[in-house]
Amino acid sequence: NAGVMQNPRHLVRRRGQEARLRCSPMKGHSHVYWYRQLPEEGLKFMVYLQKENIIDESGMPKERFSAEFPKEGPSILRIQQVVRGDSAAYFCASSPFTAGRGGEAFFGQGTRLTVV
Amino acid sequence: GQQVMQIPQYQHVQEGEDFTTYCNSSTTLSNIQWYKQRPGGHPVFLIQLVKSGEVKKQKRLTFQFGEAKKNSSLHITATQTTDVGTYFCAGSPTGANNLFFGTGTRLTVIP
């Protein structure tokens, strides 16, 4: 059973381009969380999704950021018109249950986004 | 909004000394989880506490969930260099299904 797979591991984008980050949860997991981490800082919640539904996107900027978790395929975090301040590590985590039911979150290796 | 604070932010200890990090939530939590992130790595689940006042041990690590289910602590006895990393608590507010992470405590162990 493969772990949570994120790709790419490293992504370099010029200002104004689009960044597309992918996350394949562990088999059987229908809950996906995206977090952003700046160097030397904590994990900032962005969005929580279940299959085909966004449950909580309160941590995601209203503009330029979007997320989806389609019925088939990986979850995608999309950042349009990237700016230097978007440079960070983006982690995806999956869980078989909701956090409220005590679902342990399994993390991917993260995508390190650098905007130049 | 939901806030989960941890103190201290950084801790340097000599190898063999004890270490404690404290986690405080602005709201009551249905459960608390602890994760460890090594430098350059990703967070890895350590343990989960669910009951008020619950205490769990893993070898040299002791985890406690407060009576009011709003705070928690992680205590490491006789630290080793392999304990180096950032320790995060993560909680799910009662009635919610999200998972919010604390600000983390970065532990450095000096040989």
Side-chain angles (χ1 to χ4, degrees):
Chain A
N1 189 4
V4 178
M5 304 299 292
Q6 285 189 252
N7 66 81
R9 291 288 304 277
H10 299 274
L11 182 61
V12 178
R13 283 288 177 265
R14 295 186 185 279
R15 281 178 294 170
Q17 291 185 319
E18 178 181 289
R20 198 172 279 241
L21 287 60
R22 294 174 184 77
C23 170
S24 295
M26 287 182 69
K27 188 176 180 181
H29 288 193
S30 59
H31 304 270
V32 167
Y33 307 85
W34 284 93
Y35 295 88
R36 170 184 156 128
Q37 187 175 40
L38 293 169
E40 308 291 319
E41 294 193 8
L43 293 154
K44 182 177 181 297
F45 165 75
M46 297 184 73
V47 61
Y48 165 41
L49 311 102
Q50 291 182 35
K51 276 290 186 183
E52 300 184 86
N53 292 305
I54 296 174
I55 307 301
D56 184 345
E57 57 182 347
S58 59
M60 204 150 68
K62 296 283 186 263
E63 297 178 355
R64 303 190 297 108
F65 286 71
S66 63
E68 62 178 11
F69 188 15
K71 187 176 180 180
E72 301 290 338
S75 175
I76 305 286
L77 179 67
R78 184 181 175 208
I79 311 173
Q80 294 178 291
Q81 298 174 336
V82 296
V83 301
R84 287 224 172 103
D86 297 331
S87 296
Y90 292 84
F91 287 97
C92 160
S94 75
S95 178
F97 310 115
T98 65
R101 284 185 57 198
E104 169 192 343
F106 294 82
F107 278 81
Q109 301 280 350
T111 294
R112 270 84 179 163
L113 172 65
T114 302
V115 179
V116 297
Chain B
Q2 172 65 30
Q3 289 197 20
V4 183
M5 304 298 295
Q6 280 183 254
I7 55 170
Q9 189 175 1
Y10 300 96
Q11 185 78 60
H12 292 73
V13 299
Q14 290 283 345
E15 189 174 14
E17 290 183 337
D18 292 356
F19 159 76
T20 304
T21 173
Y22 300 91
C23 174
N24 291 286
S25 169
S26 57
T27 59
T28 304
L29 303 171
S30 58
N31 61 75
I32 192 93
Q33 300 177 8
W34 284 90
Y35 291 78
K36 177 183 178 181
Q37 185 178 24
R38 293 183 183 275
H42 60 281
V44 175
F45 175 82
L46 293 176
I47 207 161
Q48 177 179 259
L49 304 167
V50 179
K51 299 176 184 176
S52 170
E54 188 172 10
V55 177
K56 286 188 175 180
K57 292 192 176 187
Q58 285 181 351
K59 296 182 181 179
R60 295 179 294 106
L61 277 62
T62 302
F63 304 83
Q64 187 168 9
F65 199 8
E67 294 290 341
K69 301 184 78 172
K70 293 179 73 172
N71 55 70
S72 181
S73 65
L74 158 60
H75 180 82
I76 302 178
T77 304
T79 55
Q80 300 175 359
T81 54
T82 53
D83 295 326
V84 163
T86 302
Y87 292 84
F88 292 99
C89 63
S92 182
T94 303
N97 290 311
N98 212 334
L99 188 63
F100 293 95
F101 277 75
T103 46
T105 296
R106 186 173 180 180
L107 173 65
T108 300
V109 179
I110 304 163

